[in-house]
Amino acid sequence: MLHPFEYRIYQDIIREALPVAGIHLLVGVSGGADSMALLHVLAALRDALPCTLVAAYIDHGLRPDETPAEWACVREAASRLGIDSVRMTADVCSVAAADGLSLEHAAREARYRAFAELAGQWSTDMLAVAHTADDQAEEILLRLFRGSGGKGLAGMRPRSDRLIRPLLGVRKQEVLAYLADKGVGYCHDSSNDDRRFLRNRIRLDLLPLLESEYDPGIRSALLKTAANLGEDEDLLASLLAGQWEAVVDPPPVDSGESPARRLDRAAFRRLHPALQRRLLERLLWELGVPARYRQILLLLAAAGTGRTGSELHLSRGLRVVVQRDHLIFSFPCGQGPWRGRLIGG
């Protein structure tokens, strides 16, 4: 018989149409409370939603005194549940140095790269991670501070491509109550107490202050705002899908610059500004380049009033040449940083 919490997650999975039944699922398990709850819930749902699970633990190499106990916790829990487990080390410091990222951002990048590698090794179909509603509230505030637009403030989605978040609709206190009822142990990540990281200051200081001094329902309000914006984003995404092929097309076969994409400037200018920003964001992500706000602004200007023959030097070796009718996106020297111009000034 399912625990009430397990049945709650089962209902959420069905309502959000999350792909679980009949697939091979990689589960990110850090040994912390949220991910241990996710592992046990998915294991309990294998009769209702038949699937094969693999518990994946990523060692970031940042807390050598704690990671052995975490991996032991994950491995032993997976063994008791009849689930395969795997450990992989991610070189966070190298990622931070190579990409110019903060340690926090680099850890996330390295973690998901490791998950992608493990998905290939184990031939899994989807990745499940244990973000909760509390994580969602923190993420919305974090994105607000970073100047995100509507898409960012819509927060995390229950499904993003090959990633699912089955616990996104539940609070942390519900997770802890479930673990206590089931007698499931978990580990505490000391980096979650480090106030050098903005996310931790939001969780430990700002949200409690907002709840005590301004509005005890601030978390619910943030989640409602994200849900409303998410519905708006779904509409904009469908509108963009209908315009994509009219604006972005493959490059000419005979181009000597080996362009990766070509954008029609006139068709682009006819789009609503909201769709223009989203199209550029999607294009950059498809090219494997971070869709940073400053780069999107530069591209908007280039598409609108850019001088023919000028070019933009974006991250990871991406070059954008302004032609009279098009913007040409290319990696003339491969995906990596380099200096120099493609054409004469």
Side-chain angles (χ1 to χ4, degrees):
M1 182 175 179
L2 292 178
H3 184 282
F5 183 80
E6 295 164 352
Y7 184 67
R8 162 87 178 276
I9 303 306
Y10 169 77
Q11 291 179 308
D12 288 349
I13 289 173
I14 298 301
R15 185 182 67 253
E16 298 291 346
L18 300 184
V20 173
I23 70 169
H24 196 187
L25 188 62
L26 190 71
V27 186
V29 190
S30 67
D34 299 340
S35 63
M36 290 295 283
L38 176 62
L39 183 66
H40 283 77
V41 167
L42 291 175
L45 295 179
R46 282 178 294 184
D47 287 338
L49 300 169
C51 62
T52 304
L53 306 175
V54 178
Y57 173 79
I58 308 300
D59 180 356
H60 297 86
L62 301 175
R63 297 176 293 107
D65 293 337
E66 298 177 19
T67 50
E70 292 174 350
W71 169 232
C73 181
V74 174
R75 186 178 64 248
E76 292 166 8
S79 179
R80 287 195 306 272
L81 295 168
I83 296 171
D84 287 325
S85 60
V86 60
R87 173 183 177 272
M88 176 173 281
T89 298
D91 192 346
V92 174
C93 294
S94 293
V95 172
D99 295 346
L101 303 175
S102 67
L103 202 61
E104 185 178 24
H105 191 176
R108 182 186 183 282
E109 288 289 318
R111 180 166 61 253
Y112 281 99
R113 290 178 193 178
F115 282 141
E117 185 174 343
L118 288 173
Q121 292 176 6
W122 287 80
S123 300
T124 56
D125 303 300
M126 301 290 293
L127 168 66
V129 294
H131 294 125
T132 67
D134 291 85
D135 296 320
Q136 179 80 299
E138 296 164 14
E139 182 70 14
I140 294 165
L141 286 175
L142 187 65
R143 294 181 184 187
L144 179 63
F145 293 154
R146 291 174 175 169
S148 294
K151 184 174 183 179
L153 295 178
M156 298 176 286
R157 310 304 294 271
R159 177 181 180 179
S160 302
D161 297 323
R162 296 170 67 87
L163 182 149
I164 60 173
R165 300 180 174 91
L167 303 186
L168 197 58
V170 299
R171 295 288 305 275
K172 178 81 169 190
Q173 60 195 26
E174 298 175 86
V175 169
L176 295 177
Y178 168 70
L179 293 175
D181 284 350
K182 300 283 286 189
V184 175
Y186 56 90
C187 300
H188 176 68
D189 180 346
S190 64
S191 67
N192 289 331
D193 301 325
D194 190 341
R195 284 180 165 80
R196 289 178 299 173
F197 300 125
L198 177 57
R199 183 182 300 276
N200 290 347
R201 297 199 299 276
I202 289 173
R203 183 180 66 257
L204 299 173
D205 301 325
L206 180 57
L207 275 169
L209 175 66
L210 292 174
E211 287 177 317
S212 64
E213 299 294 332
Y214 296 92
D215 183 357
I218 184 63
R219 294 175 194 264
S220 296
L222 288 169
L223 296 177
K224 289 177 183 177
T225 297
N228 289 336
L229 288 172
E231 292 178 353
D232 295 346
E233 288 302 317
D234 288 341
L235 173 61
L236 289 169
S238 67
L239 293 174
L240 177 58
Q243 298 291 331
W244 178 264
E245 292 185 358
V247 181
V248 180
D249 58 24
V253 176
D254 59 351
S255 173
E257 296 174 359
S258 300
R261 293 289 191 280
R262 186 174 68 173
L263 181 148
D264 185 303
R265 294 178 67 181
F268 179 81
R269 287 194 294 264
R270 288 194 292 269
L271 296 179
H272 188 280
L275 292 180
Q276 291 179 350
R277 292 192 299 271
R278 282 157 181 81
L279 182 143
L280 292 174
E281 181 182 58
R282 172 180 164 181
L283 180 55
L284 290 175
W285 282 119
E286 287 194 1
L287 292 170
V289 175
R292 299 190 177 100
Y293 182 64
R294 179 176 176 274
Q295 295 191 350
I296 290 175
L297 289 181
L298 290 173
L299 289 170
L300 285 170
T305 59
R307 177 175 54 84
T308 299
S310 61
E311 62 183 63
L312 299 176
H313 296 206
L314 304 183
S315 59
R316 298 184 181 176
L318 179 63
R319 293 294 181 263
V320 182
V321 175
V322 180
Q323 297 182 348
R324 187 184 66 178
D325 298 321
H326 298 92
L327 296 185
I328 304 298
F329 294 74
S330 67
F331 294 95
C333 293
Q335 293 198 25
W338 64 281
R339 295 180 181 277
R341 286 178 54 81
L342 300 178
I343 54 181

